Amino acid sequence: MSGTVFETWWQQMLQNYTETQISTVGTFLVHEILYFLVYVPFFVADQIPAFRKYKIQPKVVNTWEIQWRCLKRLIFNHIVIQLPMILISHPILEFFGLRIDAPLPSFPLIFFKCCLFLIVEDFYFYWIHRLLHHKSLYKHIHKIHHDHPAPHGIAAEYAHFVETLFLGLGTVLGPFLFARHLFTLWCWLAVRLFQTVEAHVGYDFPWSPRHFIPFWGGALYHDYHHEKFLGNYASTFTYCDWLFGTDTRYYQTAEAREKERQAFLAQTDKKQQ
């Protein structure tokens, strides 16, 4: 990636900050900026009536009160849980050979590794998520995330601190094993945060990734999990649920749910005329 704008920017950052500052504070800021920035377009869409026809659960309105409660827990989790995790991960990443100096890795290599990280994280997430739905754990930990039966994008990281810890490990597992540069990790954060926010937006747009990427679950797939509290445990792809038989009910009821959704929208539109 020599000579690119990113390379120049990276060199300037190295001249002004220590590697520890970049790896810790820099990574935390990248996470915060990306998380809320990715949500902005979906938040705007939520204010536009024309997009209502794409809402998966149109009967439910996520009020400002609900979103404010969500934001307060997010701020707590990000500062009290995620920031210390990032600080602790710095020496671990160094031990695994992660470097920060120039040159930056090539974009084809970054793309390949991000695809690999998605597969690793998805498999890990499937089993931890399924475990969190066990009756002995669900009411104590994972139930908090299900405070939102009709999720909205910002609720992606709304969770009990234990869940944040264990599922967060899945996000960094791929980079721990295969990343050799911090810039690759930051690119992966962009991919992962887009994926998790998009899965929680509550809209199935014609341009949603599931329409273009094979086995991508997306919002329609994950929204069912929030609505029914079972099945569809994977974070990104659909094949784990298919392999282990945890998506059967989703496909059996898909047609009936879509008919109910369309009928509600038609009835609402008729009342407004």
Side-chain angles (χ1 to χ4, degrees):
M1 202 183 291
S2 178
T4 65
V5 173
F6 291 104
E7 190 84 31
T8 302
W9 166 68
W10 198 264
Q11 290 279 16
Q12 292 175 345
M13 190 168 56
L14 287 171
Q15 292 171 7
N16 291 292
Y17 304 99
T18 67
E19 291 192 354
T20 301
Q21 289 173 328
I22 295 170
S23 179
T24 55
V25 178
T27 299
F28 178 73
L29 291 176
V30 166
H31 174 275
E32 295 305 292
I33 292 169
L34 287 174
Y35 184 77
F36 292 103
L37 193 62
V38 167
Y39 175 58
V40 168
F42 300 113
F43 173 78
V44 172
D46 216 17
Q47 316 308 314
I48 301 174
F51 288 136
R52 187 169 169 274
K53 62 184 177 181
Y54 302 121
K55 192 168 177 62
I56 300 168
Q57 296 187 57
K59 296 180 182 179
V60 182
V61 177
N62 287 308
T63 64
W64 288 104
E65 180 184 356
I66 291 173
Q67 297 193 52
W68 173 240
R69 183 183 63 185
C70 178
L71 182 60
K72 287 190 291 184
R73 180 175 285 272
L74 280 176
I75 293 171
F76 173 84
N77 279 357
H78 286 186
I79 295 175
V80 179
I81 308 300
Q82 293 187 9
L83 178 57
M85 287 176 65
I86 291 171
L87 295 174
I88 293 171
S89 70
H90 172 64
I92 301 174
L93 288 168
E94 280 191 324
F95 175 80
F96 278 88
L98 192 82
R99 64 182 184 83
I100 299 177
D101 59 334
L104 300 180
S106 66
F107 274 122
L109 180 60
I110 290 172
F111 176 79
F112 169 76
K113 289 198 173 182
C114 284
C115 291
L116 180 61
F117 299 162
L118 277 172
I119 294 171
V120 171
E121 189 280 333
D122 186 67
F123 187 80
Y124 173 93
F125 185 100
Y126 175 85
W127 289 107
I128 298 298
H129 187 194
R130 191 170 173 179
L131 177 64
L132 289 173
H133 272 267
H134 189 276
K135 61 182 180 180
S136 63
L137 296 175
Y138 177 80
K139 65 181 180 179
H140 301 294
I141 301 173
H142 192 52
K143 188 178 185 297
I144 289 177
H145 185 64
H146 280 279
D147 282 351
H148 304 279
H152 47 102
I154 203 173
E157 292 186 347
Y158 178 92
H160 189 281
F161 73 90
V162 173
E163 179 172 345
T164 298
L165 176 64
F166 279 94
L167 292 183
L169 289 175
T171 297
V172 297
L173 180 59
F176 276 160
L177 297 175
F178 304 111
R180 293 298 173 264
H181 200 283
L182 182 66
F183 188 71
T184 303
L185 174 60
W186 286 8
C187 290
W188 159 239
L189 275 179
V191 172
R192 172 67 176 128
L193 290 173
F194 170 80
Q195 177 277 318
T196 190
V197 170
E198 192 273 334
H200 288 84
V201 293
Y203 286 87
D204 184 36
F205 297 110
W207 52 85
S208 294
R210 80 174 189 91
H211 298 291
F212 309 101
I213 303 176
F215 306 109
W216 188 276
L220 185 65
Y221 194 77
H222 192 67
D223 201 276
Y224 173 83
H225 174 80
H226 273 264
E227 182 182 6
K228 303 300 183 182
F229 307 105
L230 79 167
N232 295 15
Y233 296 113
S235 61
T236 306
F237 303 110
T238 59
Y239 62 86
C240 277
D241 285 290
W242 175 74
L243 281 172
F244 302 108
T246 48
D247 62 356
T248 306
R249 183 66 178 167
Y250 168 73
Y251 289 110
Q252 287 176 343
T253 61
E255 185 176 351
R257 285 183 286 109
E258 177 59 17
K259 285 182 178 179
E260 181 182 355
R261 190 185 77 87
Q262 292 290 352
F264 176 81
L265 288 172
Q267 183 181 21
T268 305
D269 291 341
K270 187 176 180 180
K271 289 180 179 178
Q272 292 175 349
Q273 290 176 356

